[in-house]
Amino acid sequence: FNEPIQNTIINESRFIRILYSTPNIIFNGINILLKLNIDCVDKQYNKNIIYYNIEKNIDMINNIKNVEKIILEKYSSDKIPTFNLTNQVNTGVLKLFSDSCEKKKNIDLILKISGLWEDNSSYGITYKFLSVF
């Protein structure tokens, strides 16, 4: 984890960038390829809203929740962890940042985890979903 800086997205909070490294390479953030079986895509402004059946995608959802849990456990804080990503994937609806509106049933997405946010009482991961074309 990098040193905290002032968060420009969430008021009165700090942003902590995640670096993932091996002996050969360093990544700025974590990008995870997801294969999701979707029911419907709805275009709203500059976002696509993806609707999916939780039971059909339960393995992928459980993997996403596990990643969030591991990251939050690795961050050392006495504050309360907030599982926003877990709450999001449990709804069966995702906001996809993309100009394209694919109507496919199986779609590849990237879960981009940039870092953590932290305020006076809690912390959680910052993330977004991107399309793969």
Side-chain angles (χ1 to χ4, degrees), residues 21-26:
S21 65
T22 70
N24 300 317
I25 194 163
I26 297 174

Side-chain angles (χ1 to χ4, degrees), residues 20-127:
Y20 178 80
S21 65
T22 70
N24 300 317
I25 194 163
I26 297 174
F27 290 102
N28 201 2
I30 300 171
N31 294 291
I32 302 170
L33 179 65
L34 307 174
K35 295 188 179 288
L36 197 60
N37 185 316
I38 64 168
D39 295 330
C40 177
V41 178
D42 184 27
K43 181 81 170 167
Q44 292 182 5
Y45 304 103
N46 66 336
K47 297 180 194 113
N48 290 313
I49 309 300
I50 295 176
Y51 300 91
Y52 57 93
N53 182 293
I54 293 169
E55 287 78 31
K56 288 182 186 176
N57 295 286
I58 195 67
D59 290 338
M60 184 65 61
I61 290 168
N62 286 336
N63 288 338
I64 293 168
K65 291 172 140 164
N66 193 41
V67 167
E68 181 178 40
K69 180 177 180 271
I70 289 168
I71 292 170
L72 293 178
E73 285 174 350
K74 288 197 177 291
Y75 184 66
S76 187
S77 177
D78 58 351
K79 297 172 182 166
I80 300 168
T82 302
F83 294 89
N84 291 335
L85 179 57
T86 293
N87 294 338
Q88 179 69 53
V89 297
N90 282 338
T91 66
V93 179
L94 298 178
K95 293 178 191 171
L96 176 63
F97 290 83
S98 169
D99 293 332
S100 178
C101 189
E102 292 286 322
K103 299 285 185 183
K104 299 188 298 186
K105 289 292 182 190
N106 293 302
I107 192 166
D108 291 345
L109 304 173
I110 293 177
L111 168 58
K112 179 178 176 56
I113 300 172
S114 302
L116 300 172
W117 59 267
E118 182 179 44
D119 62 20
N120 292 332
S121 61
S122 57
Y123 65 100
I125 65 171
T126 60
Y127 67 91

